[in-house]
């Protein structure tokens, strides 16, 4: 299986770390040079098209372009599935056999992407798993999720994603991982990868952790366009509904749903290995 790691040229320590981890896990990782937000020339010709009320920072554009480069590499290859990793993740002990089992699983060909990352914020997902692969459930998100640090993607969808996202005005997570966009999405539970920022153990030193291809949450907030009082109130109500109210209503709403359509709010933990 093609296994790509998106890595900045100025972060050789990260590549050395994940390459060693991949070798220990039985993965032949291939380095894919990330687009560097600190180099304006590298962003020239990007697919970013600004729109009113949404401004992407250079780091967000660079992140999107880095993943588009990964999709081009996948689309130009022969592998039916490919693994895409960012370079600040720790991998579960059983990731290689799990990937092989997932690629061969008869229940999963309809999925475009299977997310492998831990997701502590959680999202609404169908309660019944789409499949259980090598001891880990594959759940179906029904609302937008985040984090592009680790995912399994089909070659066919890599080709389609290049067309769907040839031009974009939203961050990668918002554009790619929204079921409303038509992407057929799964999420491994427990997760097989976790970013340093979410881990309760350290695997990157502080200097390497600071070098990231993704725009940090602090950067997004710092440069986000100012909103008026009504817009701020609307955003807070929307966030409350999505994260609190809607999940709290699910037990009651599930009473009227067929068993296969019942939903639950799930936080996806990381597990090094599932027995």
């Amino acid at each position: 299986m093609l296994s790509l790691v998106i890595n900045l040229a100025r972060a050789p320590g990260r590549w050395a770390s994940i390459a060693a981890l991949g070798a220990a896990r039985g993965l032949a990782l291939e380095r894919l040079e990330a687009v560097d937000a600190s180099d304006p020339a590298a962003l020239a010709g990007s697919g970013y098209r600004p729109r009113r009320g949404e401004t992407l920072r250079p780091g967000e554009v660079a992140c999107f372009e880095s993943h588009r480069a990964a999709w081009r590499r996948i689309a130009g290859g022969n592998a039916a599935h490919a693994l895409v990793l960012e370079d600040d993740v720790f991998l579960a002990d059983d990731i290689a056999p799990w990937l092989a089992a997932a690629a061969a699983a008869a229940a999963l060909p309809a999925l475009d992407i299977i997310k492998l990352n831990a997701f502590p914020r959680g999202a609404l997902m169908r309660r019944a798993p789409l499949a259980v692969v090598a001891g880990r459930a594959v759940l179906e998100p029904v609302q937008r999720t985040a984090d592009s640090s680790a995912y399994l993607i089909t070659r066919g969808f890599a080709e389609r994603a290049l067309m769907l996202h040839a031009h974009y005005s939203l961050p990668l997570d918002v554009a790619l991982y929204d079921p409303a966009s038509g992407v057929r999405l799964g999420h491994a539970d427990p997760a097989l990868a976790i970013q340093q920022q979410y881990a309760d153990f350290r695997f990157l030193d502080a200097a390497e952790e600071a070098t990231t291809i993704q725009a940090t949450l602090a950067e997004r907030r710092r440069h986000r366009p100012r909103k008026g009082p009504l817009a701020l109130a609307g955003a807070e109500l929307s966030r409350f509904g999505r994260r609190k109210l809607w999940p709290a209503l699910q037990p009651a709403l599930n009473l009227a749903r067929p068993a296969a359509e019942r939903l639950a709010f799930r936080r996806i933990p990381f597990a090094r290995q599932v027995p």
Side-chain angles (χ1 to χ4, degrees), residues 1-272:
M1 179 182 294
L2 178 64
S3 301
L4 301 176
V5 177
I6 298 171
N7 170 252
L8 285 164
R10 56 188 167 87
R14 281 193 177 208
W15 167 243
S17 176
I18 197 167
L21 180 60
R25 298 291 189 260
L27 293 174
L29 300 179
E30 177 182 322
R31 180 180 177 272
L32 182 74
E33 185 158 340
V35 176
D36 196 333
S38 67
D39 180 6
L43 299 181
S46 77
Y48 174 48
R49 299 294 183 268
R51 74 177 187 183
R52 186 175 180 180
E54 187 70 45
T55 302
L56 299 190
R57 301 303 302 158
E60 292 174 308
V61 176
C63 179
F64 213 129
E65 292 299 321
S66 296
H67 282 265
R68 292 212 307 157
W71 304 339
R72 283 193 293 272
R73 172 71 178 84
I74 295 162
N78 297 318
H81 298 81
L83 173 67
V84 178
L85 301 172
E86 293 178 359
D87 60 6
D88 60 343
V89 295
F90 188 84
L91 306 173
D93 302 349
D94 59 330
I95 187 168
W98 192 92
L99 289 170
L108 299 182
L111 293 179
D112 298 316
I113 293 176
I114 302 177
K115 298 190 69 184
L116 308 179
N117 58 289
F119 194 50
R121 285 191 294 174
L124 277 176
M125 305 195 185
R126 296 204 187 279
R127 183 182 290 176
L130 295 168
V132 176
V133 178
R136 297 177 191 259
V138 177
L139 303 177
E140 181 185 2
V142 298
Q143 66 177 186
R144 178 171 58 82
T145 62
D147 191 339
S148 55
S149 61
Y151 56 90
L152 181 66
I153 184 172
T154 66
R155 184 178 72 242
F157 185 70
E159 294 172 350
R160 189 151 56 95
L162 286 169
M163 293 185 290
L164 289 172
H165 304 293
H167 301 297
Y168 54 88
S169 57
L170 298 171
L172 176 67
D173 296 344
V174 178
L176 187 61
Y177 302 127
D178 186 353
S181 71
V183 62
R184 297 168 298 182
L185 196 62
H187 204 138
D189 180 26
L192 291 114
I194 188 168
Q195 283 186 298
Q196 180 64 82
Q197 62 178 317
Y198 298 124
D200 58 3
F201 58 95
R202 180 155 293 282
F203 56 92
L204 288 176
D205 63 37
E208 293 295 343
E209 188 177 358
T211 307
T212 179
I213 69 165
Q214 291 196 32
T216 64
L217 184 59
E219 181 188 4
R220 292 183 185 183
R221 286 175 174 166
R222 188 166 58 248
H223 297 284
R224 186 175 295 161
R226 292 185 177 274
K227 296 180 178 179
L230 289 177
L232 285 172
E236 288 301 318
L237 283 173
S238 175
R239 187 177 298 109
F240 174 78
R242 186 173 66 252
R243 296 186 181 178
K244 301 292 184 181
L245 182 60
W246 189 233
L249 290 174
Q250 293 314 305
L253 294 174
N254 279 336
L255 296 175
R257 292 177 177 136
E261 297 180 12
R262 291 175 182 170
L263 307 181
F265 189 79
R266 300 292 293 270
R267 292 180 173 86
I268 307 295
F270 172 73
R272 293 180 183 233

